[in-house]
Amino acid sequence: MIGFTQKSAERFFDALTKNRIQRIIDVRLNNSSQLAAFSKQDDLAFFLRQLGDIDYMHLPSLAPNAELIKAYRGERIPWPDFERGFLKLLQERRVEETLDKDIFAGRAVLLCSELTPEKCHRRLVVEYLNAKWGDLQPVHL
């Protein structure tokens, strides 16, 4: 798992190449914002290929919906409510049945914006899929 906020491009890409990452799974709903800097979808895919021969995949099915994001960021709901809402969303989407487990094979990482995993949906994705599949081994880069 990796977030890009408060990281320079150098620090971000060094972490990926030093850890021999083979695939980035982008779990952001909006990955084309100007605020995303070097991690905008098309730019990121290019940089990953050029700097580390790393595959890029965008899976919005593993992102919270806009309503949930706005409620949490707008401080209308606390983190525990966001967590419950997002886990319910994953369950409704049946992601454990619709995703190919092989996308997590090898050295794959989930990407979103949050610096740390404590209050980040990428951690919730891993925990949810581990409860269903039981064999993911998350590491925060």
Side-chain angles (χ1 to χ4, degrees):
M1 301 184 295
I2 191 167
F4 67 85
T5 301
Q6 298 180 16
K7 285 188 176 91
S8 66
E10 180 179 9
R11 184 172 159 214
F12 178 83
F13 291 106
D14 276 353
L16 298 176
T17 56
K18 286 179 182 173
N19 286 282
R20 301 182 327 274
I21 300 305
Q22 298 169 317
R23 176 177 295 118
I24 287 281
I25 303 167
D26 189 342
V27 296
R28 296 174 291 169
L29 182 63
N30 181 5
N31 63 357
S32 58
S33 164
Q34 291 297 344
L35 299 176
F38 65 84
S39 70
K40 287 174 61 176
Q41 179 178 0
D42 294 338
D43 293 340
L44 182 59
F46 170 78
F47 293 141
L48 290 169
R49 274 192 318 274
Q50 294 298 312
L51 298 173
D53 195 27
I54 300 170
D55 293 333
Y56 173 82
M57 176 180 279
H58 182 223
L59 288 180
S61 64
L62 298 180
N65 59 29
E67 180 181 309
L68 196 56
I69 293 169
K70 286 179 187 175
Y72 177 66
R73 290 191 180 152
E75 299 181 0
R76 291 192 313 270
I77 63 171
W79 176 255
D81 291 351
F82 174 90
E83 235 179 57
R84 279 189 293 280
F86 182 60
L87 292 172
K88 181 180 178 195
L89 191 60
L90 291 176
Q91 184 177 23
E92 289 169 356
R93 291 175 179 168
R94 301 167 59 135
V95 296
E96 72 276 9
E97 296 173 17
T98 59
L99 288 177
D100 181 355
K101 284 175 73 171
D102 289 341
I103 65 171
F104 296 94
R107 302 188 66 83
V109 297
L110 298 181
L111 166 75
C112 77
S113 61
E114 298 299 325
L115 179 62
T116 62
E118 291 79 20
K119 290 188 175 179
C120 180
H121 75 279
R122 67 181 183 262
R123 176 184 58 82
L124 299 175
V125 167
V126 169
E127 290 173 0
Y128 178 85
L129 291 175
N130 255 339
K132 302 296 183 181
W133 296 340
D135 55 359
L136 298 178
Q137 298 174 5
V139 174
H140 177 69
L141 301 180

